[in-house]
Amino acid sequence: MKSPCFLLLASITVSLVASCAPVRPSPSRFHYGLPREHSLTPASGAIKDPSGALPAQNIQTETEVRPRRTQPDTVETADEALNRAVRALGARPSAETHRAVAVQYLRLNITDLAADHLSAAVALDRRDAEAYDLRARLWRDWGFPGEGLGDAYRAAYFAPRSAASQNTLGTVLHRLGHRDGAAARYRLALALDPAAAYALNNLCAVALDEGESARALAACREALALGYREEGEKVGE
């Protein structure tokens, strides 16, 4: 789905239609590698030929025909960055290392395991604003913004100077239909970080929802001037 800025600037004369925050797919857990081979019955000597017609030297034992077992690869072993994060977590379990593993799972779009590690992070540190912020985004992108509202407020509370956390709270409020509250959070994000193009893009979306074409166009132009890009913009999602 194209961002509001690109929709507006592509054809200003066409009626503006809105769609704001992107929804990410949340695929199920991935598992890589080949399936295990079927095991054979443990060998009990040579295989018997009931007819007695075959020469003994032509009979193979079960141990000779049993296939070699191989350990299947998993995403945790196949992906180097995730593997490092998992090993660091094993060496020193903490909110920080759980969050680092979650970030790698999010990079790979394995959102269920990411959520597990974010929950482990906040269980160890009830003031982990980054973990709350990421978990709020997951709930929002799964289509349950109400479930993420508490996490979004906690992230903004524990990191009041974070433009990203204010913006996330704005997106959750926006998904819940609270446009005024969302716009206030986007403006606060801009006050904290004047270069936060993603917040301007979201203000553009609010204006579109309210039918304010001129205000939407101005916000989108500002976002583009600050270097907003539809692809690669992570903080503003």
Side-chain angles (χ1 to χ4, degrees):
M1 183 178 294
K2 296 292 183 182
S3 74
C5 286
F6 288 92
L7 287 172
L8 282 170
L9 297 183
S11 176
I12 298 176
T13 60
V14 177
S15 297
L16 296 172
V17 289
S19 178
C20 155
V23 177
R24 287 183 169 180
S26 52
S28 59
R29 185 182 311 176
F30 292 111
H31 184 276
Y32 298 90
L34 298 175
R36 294 172 179 265
E37 294 84 355
H38 293 290
S39 60
L40 296 175
T41 306
S44 58
I47 299 175
K48 304 297 183 181
D49 173 38
S51 68
L54 295 176
Q57 63 267 27
N58 291 334
I59 303 296
Q60 290 182 305
T61 65
E62 290 182 10
T63 55
E64 292 174 324
V65 299
R66 180 182 290 120
R68 183 185 299 273
R69 290 179 179 271
T70 59
Q71 188 68 26
D73 287 336
T74 65
V75 65
E76 289 81 6
T77 58
D79 186 86
E80 184 178 349
L82 175 58
N83 182 264
R84 285 197 303 268
V86 169
R87 284 189 283 109
L89 173 62
R92 185 178 62 86
S94 67
E96 181 182 0
T97 52
H98 272 292
R99 183 170 11 94
V101 171
V103 167
Q104 295 305 320
Y105 278 126
L106 287 172
R107 176 178 59 83
L108 297 168
N109 240 349
I110 307 177
T111 56
D112 55 344
L113 292 183
D116 290 344
H117 283 280
L118 292 173
S119 295
V122 298
L124 292 170
D125 181 2
R126 295 296 183 182
R127 301 176 65 87
D128 190 336
E130 290 183 61
Y132 285 126
D133 180 78
L134 291 171
R135 198 168 65 172
R137 295 188 199 187
L138 277 178
W139 280 116
R140 177 199 65 193
D141 295 342
W142 282 338
F144 301 99
E147 298 293 332
L149 185 59
D151 282 343
Y153 271 115
R154 292 182 190 96
Y157 178 80
F158 290 123
R161 305 296 300 171
S162 169
S165 292
Q166 298 296 337
N167 181 76
T168 296
L169 177 53
T171 61
V172 173
L173 290 169
H174 200 166
R175 288 289 182 89
L176 291 170
H178 304 305
R179 291 195 294 266
D180 289 344
R185 294 292 173 169
Y186 298 150
R187 285 192 289 268
L188 180 53
L190 277 170
L192 293 168
D193 180 8
Y198 52 84
L200 277 167
N201 181 72
N202 291 335
L203 281 171
C204 170
V206 171
L208 282 173
D209 288 347
E210 295 176 343
E212 297 286 343
S213 302
R215 184 157 54 91
L217 181 59
C220 282
R221 280 177 170 165
E222 286 186 64
L224 291 174
L226 286 174
Y228 178 82
R229 293 172 299 140
E230 184 181 13
E231 296 181 359
E233 186 66 63
K234 302 300 184 186
V235 178
E237 292 180 351

